[in-house]
Amino acid sequence: MYARAPLTVYVRPFHMEFASRIAWAMERRWLGLRVSWYALDKGPLIFAAVAGLLVAIFGTALHAVFTHREHARNLTCLALNVYFEARGEPESGQLAVAEVTMNRLASDAYPKTLCGVVYQKKWDPLRRRYVGAFSWTELDSLPQPAGEEWLRAKKVAEAVYYQREAPALDGALFYHATYIKPSWAKGKRKVARIGRHVFYR
């Protein structure tokens, strides 16, 4: 008689069995999703996607328009201040006036918009009336800005607004004409004298 070979029983490791079941379940799930997608009416989804895209494009365009208008308004206010405060001054003097205006915008003590800074008015108890931060804003009638001086003022305003010129006044917030001596200047630190203006912190 021949000896019978021992019976070999192959036992599959548990982790291999578990991984196989997970793979099978994921495959079934993926197949079910594909079938559902092909059977789905895609019209509403396509409409929603297109509508969402159009809303996003419109929102971006609208934001760009408002941003452009805001920059244009800011530049106009700054250029007007340079024109009426420092028309006829050397370019360094006009840059200084624009820099003070921008410094005020950056300060918590002043309005939060550039036009608000330029047209700011405060109550003066001595004169018993509101006084403009810049004297030209108190005038009832002003000449229409024009000519080379206006073009120059706009160029200076753009250079300072877009920070193409390095600051030169060490954070100055105040200035006055050289031919006057305001009482408030005694409590400020003089920074520079440029053209017909004296600048202070």
Side-chain angles (χ1 to χ4, degrees):
M1 295 181 62
Y2 295 97
R4 179 176 295 182
L7 180 63
T8 301
V9 179
Y10 179 74
V11 180
R12 198 175 189 186
F14 172 77
H15 69 277
M16 294 180 63
E17 183 71 23
F18 180 74
S20 176
R21 288 179 178 275
I22 291 295
W24 178 80
M26 291 181 65
E27 185 177 352
R28 288 288 302 272
R29 179 62 176 168
W30 175 242
L31 180 61
L33 288 174
R34 291 176 62 186
V35 171
S36 298
W37 169 253
Y38 288 123
L40 183 67
D41 180 6
K42 302 178 187 64
L45 289 179
I46 295 173
F47 175 80
V50 172
L53 180 61
L54 290 176
V55 168
I57 293 173
F58 178 75
T60 302
L62 196 62
H63 180 266
V65 169
F66 279 117
T67 300
H68 176 74
R69 287 182 179 177
E70 182 66 20
H71 286 314
R73 185 161 47 246
N74 287 338
L75 284 169
T76 298
C77 287
L78 186 58
L80 285 171
N81 206 39
V82 171
Y83 182 82
F84 287 116
E85 287 286 303
R87 185 171 74 257
E89 289 285 289
E91 183 174 296
S92 57
Q94 294 189 344
L95 288 168
V97 167
E99 185 177 333
V100 167
T101 311
M102 293 299 293
N103 286 346
R104 290 188 176 189
L105 177 64
S107 171
D108 292 335
Y110 292 88
K112 298 305 178 186
T113 65
L114 196 47
C115 292
V117 168
V118 171
Y119 290 99
Q120 182 185 24
K121 286 182 170 57
K122 289 185 176 180
W123 177 257
D124 186 337
L126 295 178
R127 286 180 275 188
R128 301 177 66 84
R129 66 178 179 85
Y130 283 97
V131 176
F134 300 101
S135 57
W136 67 270
T137 61
E138 296 183 36
L139 302 177
D140 294 330
S141 61
L142 291 165
Q144 183 69 25
E148 290 296 323
E149 288 293 345
W150 176 234
L151 294 177
R152 186 181 176 201
K154 291 197 293 184
K155 181 180 177 181
V156 167
E158 288 183 2
V160 177
Y161 184 80
Y162 290 115
Q163 299 180 347
R164 297 171 188 158
E165 291 286 336
L169 295 178
D170 192 25
L173 294 171
F174 314 95
Y175 65 86
H176 64 74
T178 55
Y179 55 82
I180 63 172
K181 294 183 178 180
S183 58
W184 58 258
K186 296 178 182 179
K188 309 297 180 185
R189 180 167 71 84
K190 183 178 176 180
V191 174
R193 173 173 174 166
I194 305 174
R196 293 192 294 271
H197 289 111
V198 185
F199 298 85
Y200 300 84
R201 286 192 67 181

